[in-house]
Amino acid sequence: MISGKFAITIHILTLLTKFPDEFLSSEFIAGSVNLHPVLVRKEIANLKKNNIVESKEGKNGGTKLLKSASDISLDTIFKMTFDTVTLGFSKNEPNPKCPVGKKINKNLEDLYENINEKISLQLSGITLENFSNQF
Amino acid sequence: MISGKFAITIHILTLLTKFPDEFLSSEFIAGSVNLHPVLVRKEIANLKKNNIVESKEGKNGGTKLLKSASDISLDTIFKMTFDTVTLGFSKNEPNPKCPVGKKINKNLEDLYENINEKISLQLSGITLENFSNQF
DNA sequence: ATATTTGTAATATATTTTATTACAGTATGA
DNA sequence: TCATACTGTAATAAAATATATTACAAATAT
């Protein structure tokens, strides 16, 4: 389910921020991201589910922001598009008969949870407006 | 390549920490991680390259730590096994003719760099010994 | 010598991500 | 009211990445 989700979503939102009064079509957005319009619409579906944007079907349809870019933090976008940041897990279940194998995933999860807290804290201090102003 | 690199490597190192005086075989380690021994040896090759472990070929061979677990920080392991943490990039090059497409990757990189600094800071405060003591 | 182990390359399989196709449904405006 | 331009979504295909396996040379303990 799309590993560039965050990047694509923030790209979409930056475009919407630059044209706050227009409904941008998925094809227009896809042209900027360089991605298939269907995938853009999938990410937009996610944004809609989270009440960040609204979209209008039919001719001259498209998508626009539902709220001000200054009211959307990057942490919100992060949480919408990422379960959690991890440094990964081994694919197979480690050996539960080994004291290390038995606990490794729990201990890694704890570590990763701390990392996520730090990232969230950092991202909640940046708004979509801040990010968009860099362009 | 290998997305569970960090997890696998820290698992290996935790085992080595628990048996600091023995050469552990890749097969023994693979049995705990539940991974093919060849992949374990690949990660060990990386650890050797970084002078964290030494290994001995031949019968009764295997791998052991080269330094004390208290002298190895999780940040060192992180840097050995991860380029950088990112929240991802869109796979294709964004449209350079669009002001947003032109700069999005640079701006994301800057953001991710800050995230990595925070993670590094956090991980450098945890040693392999600290981590291993949880088991 | 033989058995056991590392080191590494080559290849195969599995998994995940991205792309495409297809088409029903909806709004616009000529 | 009909043609057009959109969204929404499912199904499928292709590409990329990660993991697994096989194979075998080289090293070393006993």
Side-chain angles (χ1 to χ4, degrees):
Chain A
M1 12 82 143
I2 303 189
S3 89
K5 253 174 119 65
F6 177 82
I8 292 164
T9 298
I10 207 169
H11 191 146
I12 294 169
L13 288 171
T14 300
L15 290 170
L16 297 178
T17 301
K18 293 294 181 189
F19 300 95
D21 303 318
E22 297 176 38
F23 284 90
L24 303 184
S25 75
S26 61
E27 193 159 342
F28 173 83
I29 295 171
S32 173
V33 180
N34 190 9
L35 192 72
H36 202 281
V38 167
L39 299 176
V40 170
R41 296 206 285 272
K42 259 190 192 157
E43 292 316 310
I44 286 173
N46 189 32
L47 286 164
K48 279 169 60 185
K49 204 174 66 194
N50 287 275
N51 291 309
I52 306 290
V53 305
E54 63 179 326
S55 52
K56 196 172 66 173
E57 297 187 16
K59 191 166 179 178
N60 298 333
T63 301
K64 74 191 269 301
L65 286 180
L66 257 182
K67 31 172 135 177
S68 162
S70 58
D71 291 338
I72 302 168
S73 82
L74 297 198
D75 185 47
T76 303
I77 303 171
F78 168 57
K79 292 213 162 73
M80 274 174 42
T81 55
F82 242 88
D83 281 342
T84 52
V85 166
T86 80
L87 307 183
F89 293 94
S90 187
K91 187 188 131 211
N92 306 317
E93 194 203 347
N95 189 341
K97 288 177 186 154
C98 166
V100 174
K102 189 179 180 174
K103 284 182 135 193
I104 184 82
N105 281 347
K106 173 75 175 73
N107 288 340
L108 287 175
E109 271 163 25
D110 290 349
L111 180 65
Y112 298 164
E113 195 179 319
N114 287 333
I115 287 176
N116 276 273
E117 279 166 13
K118 294 277 167 35
I119 293 176
S120 272
L121 191 64
Q122 180 174 358
L123 293 180
S124 48
I126 308 172
T127 65
L128 175 58
E129 185 180 40
N130 298 148
F131 188 81
S132 299
N133 280 341
Q134 297 176 293
F135 295 86
Chain B
M1 12 121 111
I2 303 189
S3 90
K5 252 173 120 64
F6 176 83
I8 293 164
T9 297
I10 206 168
H11 191 145
I12 294 170
L13 288 171
T14 301
L15 290 169
L16 296 178
T17 301
K18 293 295 180 190
F19 302 94
D21 302 320
E22 296 176 39
F23 283 90
L24 301 185
S25 75
S26 62
E27 193 160 342
F28 173 82
I29 295 171
S32 173
V33 180
N34 190 9
L35 192 71
H36 202 280
V38 168
L39 299 177
V40 170
R41 296 206 285 273
K42 256 189 194 161
E43 292 316 309
I44 285 172
N46 189 32
L47 286 164
K48 279 170 59 186
K49 204 174 65 194
N50 286 276
N51 290 309
I52 307 290
V53 305
E54 62 180 327
S55 52
K56 197 170 68 172
E57 296 188 18
K59 190 166 180 179
N60 298 334
T63 301
K64 74 192 267 301
L65 284 180
L66 257 184
K67 32 172 136 179
S68 162
S70 58
D71 291 336
I72 302 168
S73 81
L74 296 199
D75 185 47
T76 302
I77 303 171
F78 168 59
K79 293 213 161 73
M80 276 173 43
T81 55
F82 242 88
D83 281 340
T84 52
V85 166
T86 79
L87 307 184
F89 294 93
S90 187
K91 187 189 132 210
N92 305 316
E93 195 203 348
N95 189 341
K97 287 178 188 156
C98 166
V100 173
K102 189 177 179 174
K103 283 182 134 190
I104 184 82
N105 281 348
K106 173 75 175 70
N107 288 339
L108 287 174
E109 270 162 24
D110 291 349
L111 181 66
Y112 299 166
E113 196 180 319
N114 288 333
I115 287 175
N116 277 274
E117 280 166 15
K118 294 278 167 34
I119 292 176
S120 273
L121 192 66
Q122 180 173 1
L123 293 179
S124 48
I126 308 172
T127 66
L128 176 59
E129 186 180 38
N130 299 147
F131 188 80
S132 298
N133 281 340
Q134 297 177 293
F135 295 85

